Amino acid sequence: MMSRTFHGCVALSVLFAMSVAATAPLHAAEPPAIQKIKVDGSIRTYQVGNVAVAGQPSPQGFRDLKKQGFTTIISLRHPDEERFDQEALCEELGLEFVRLVISSPNDLNPKLAKRCSELMSQADQDSKVLLHCAAGARAGAAWVVHRVLQEQQDVDKAFAEAKQMGLAVKELKAAAKQCIDAKK
């Protein structure tokens, strides 16, 4: 009699433990850490997984990126800002070139941020993406939206990382925050 009661309690305990485990929230993997990399001509370049955020690379920097496995370049600069024709250089090197202009904080809106994030999400082991502007502020702002919404990074931590990358303009920070809030 005691044996049946004992086995019944054990069975109920096991079932209870299994039901608790089944309903426990799954923890998402930690987003990849940022690391500083050297790219010729760029003031600062940080890589996170297979996405790099940078200031403007030199023509040699684009050649180096190609050798490092980068396949897509996203420029947030207006053509009038450029010192050389990056689109032509990318074509010559076999890199996909995408221009998404952010000339002012007002240009960073949910639609542009979504397109930028879609392009960054295409990065994998065989295809790296570089997102750049002149010094990293605009690229950092667009990247932080992706980091929070797609990679589920904590907002404060993502903004601290973006500051490292060059996001120092308060109006760009505010625009990025509005894009994040619009999607939450």
Side-chain angles (χ1 to χ4, degrees):
M1 179 87 155
M2 188 181 254
S3 173
R4 265 193 207 157
T5 305
F6 175 75
H7 289 293
C9 287
V10 169
L12 283 174
S13 295
V14 169
L15 286 173
F16 176 74
M18 288 172 52
S19 70
V20 168
T23 59
L26 296 176
H27 295 285
E30 274 293 306
I34 67 170
Q35 62 182 16
K36 189 169 186 156
I37 64 171
K38 179 97 173 96
V39 174
D40 189 69
S42 176
I43 295 170
R44 62 180 68 82
T45 305
Y46 289 90
Q47 189 168 337
V48 182
N50 290 315
V51 175
V53 178
Q56 176 67 57
S58 68
Q60 183 58 47
F62 281 100
R63 290 179 182 88
D64 295 344
L65 289 163
K66 171 74 174 177
K67 289 177 189 170
Q68 293 174 32
F70 284 82
T71 58
T72 303
I73 306 296
I74 306 168
S75 176
L76 302 178
R77 300 184 77 186
H78 191 279
D80 292 345
E81 295 180 67
E82 296 175 358
R83 294 185 185 149
F84 62 94
D85 187 345
Q86 352 178 25
E87 189 169 3
L89 179 59
C90 286
E91 187 176 325
E92 174 189 320
L93 295 172
L95 296 167
E96 178 184 0
F97 181 81
V98 179
R99 185 181 309 278
L100 300 172
V101 177
I102 298 178
S103 293
S104 75
N106 293 334
D107 294 334
L108 180 57
N109 57 57
K111 183 178 177 183
L112 186 137
K114 179 182 179 194
R115 177 68 181 128
C116 215
S117 185
E118 288 169 352
L119 291 164
M120 286 186 275
S121 293
Q122 292 174 5
D124 59 30
Q125 277 189 315
D126 299 321
S127 99
K128 296 179 184 176
V129 174
L130 174 77
L131 173 68
H132 83 85
C133 59
R138 292 173 281 180
W143 175 84
V144 78
V145 176
H146 170 78
R147 183 77 157 160
V148 171
L149 296 179
Q150 297 302 314
E151 296 182 1
Q152 307 301 306
Q153 179 63 283
D154 173 75
V155 173
D156 293 333
K157 186 171 182 180
F159 272 98
E161 293 169 342
K163 182 177 180 182
Q164 240 184 305
M165 296 175 175
L167 178 55
V169 179
K170 68 179 181 178
E171 294 84 3
L172 282 168
K173 289 180 194 175
K177 184 82 170 92
Q178 285 178 343
C179 290
I180 291 167
D181 292 343
K183 294 293 177 182
K184 281 193 167 186

